[in-house]
Amino acid sequence: MKMTNRVLPTLLISKGKLVKTVRFKDPTYVGDPINAVKIFNDKEVDEIILLDITVGKENSQPDYEQIEEICSEAFMPFAYGGGIREISQIKKLFNLGIEKVILNSALVDNPNLVKEAAEIFGSQSIVASIDVKKDLLGKYRAYTHAGKKKVKLSLEQFVLKVEELGVGEIMLTSISNEGTYKGYDLDLIKNIAPLLNVPLIACGGAAELSDFKEA
């Protein structure tokens, strides 16, 4: 299905700081998230994605105070992911100014949460984040929990199952390309995009304008 192309910068947060990772490892401090948002305001990007890569691992709450501060500075729609386990958290995030929430581990641990969130808040506000890398046999497989837990279903089966939960978008991240500036995994995108009836957000590896055109 034909979709409008958009540019969505992804900001990674760890313990309140803006970081960069490579293949989901070795977070390196790169600056202040508020400054990054101001830069993207000037660039007039379509949307910003904020992912807290720490709260899920620590089983802690999203940093609502920082999220509210970041939202107050953003002139574009804002999506947030990280540490979301309950409907009450989603409601609080929307009240702070977040327009979309991004769910990853819940896709496997609590798919009913995903379905319920889509029913309560609308599909347009729920994004499924699916992280992908090849296994030892060279097959694409989905992973959750920061790329550490492999999903039992095939990638194709999992993507379709996730779409059935009622999400409005699917964010597909190539673990192998993430943070490498090698360009998108075009084979991965070509394999999955035709299966979907919702917009696909490609993530991982973009370095220059030609990468966006190829994707």
Side-chain angles (χ1 to χ4, degrees):
M1 114 182 244
K2 183 68 175 175
M3 300 292 178
T4 301
N5 294 327
R6 299 169 296 156
V7 177
L8 287 67
T10 300
L11 305 180
L12 302 182
I13 302 295
S14 178
K15 299 185 184 301
K17 299 178 181 179
L18 184 65
V19 299
K20 178 188 180 300
T21 58
V22 178
R23 300 188 177 98
F24 287 21
K25 298 178 181 178
D26 305 321
T28 302
Y29 173 75
V30 293
D32 176 67
I34 295 294
N35 290 336
V37 169
K38 290 179 179 178
I39 291 172
F40 287 124
N41 282 337
D42 293 336
K43 300 292 184 181
E44 298 183 347
V45 299
D46 298 300
E47 188 175 328
I48 287 184
I49 294 172
L50 181 70
L51 299 178
D52 191 318
I53 63 174
T54 304
V55 290
K57 298 176 184 177
E58 297 179 346
N59 201 31
S60 56
Q61 291 283 333
D63 187 340
Y64 296 113
E65 184 176 343
Q66 184 185 46
I67 293 169
E68 184 175 24
E69 183 181 6
I70 293 175
C71 283
S72 69
E73 294 289 343
F75 297 160
M76 73 292 289
F78 219 95
Y80 170 83
I84 301 173
R85 295 175 292 276
E86 301 173 359
I87 290 294
S88 60
Q89 294 173 308
I90 298 176
K91 184 176 181 180
K92 186 169 184 177
L93 288 165
F94 287 149
N95 288 338
L96 293 178
I98 291 292
E99 297 198 12
K100 299 178 184 178
V101 294
I102 300 172
L103 302 173
N104 177 271
S105 299
L107 301 176
V108 173
D109 292 347
N110 190 4
N112 285 334
L113 170 67
V114 183
K115 186 176 182 180
E116 185 179 0
E119 291 173 350
I120 294 173
F121 304 107
S123 294
Q124 77 288 342
S125 62
I126 309 298
V127 181
S129 171
I130 300 178
D131 304 323
V132 181
K133 65 181 176 181
K134 290 183 178 179
D135 61 16
L136 295 177
L137 299 177
K139 293 184 178 181
Y140 287 115
R141 299 300 299 267
Y143 289 77
T144 61
H145 298 79
K148 291 182 171 56
K149 289 189 177 182
K150 183 164 67 174
V151 176
K152 293 180 180 179
L153 295 175
S154 71
L155 175 59
E156 293 79 8
Q157 290 173 325
F158 185 59
V159 166
L160 293 176
K161 182 178 180 180
V162 167
E163 187 178 40
E164 290 175 357
L165 295 175
V167 301
E169 295 176 283
I170 291 180
M171 179 177 175
L172 195 67
T173 301
S174 168
I175 298 175
S176 299
N177 287 36
E178 191 269 333
T180 64
Y181 301 120
K182 290 168 48 179
Y184 291 113
D185 186 334
L186 299 179
D187 288 336
L188 172 61
I189 297 170
K190 290 175 182 176
N191 286 344
I192 299 304
L195 303 178
L196 300 177
N197 293 303
V198 297
L200 176 66
I201 303 170
C203 183
E208 50 192 43
L209 286 175
S210 60
D211 293 326
F212 297 108
K213 293 177 181 179
E214 290 174 355

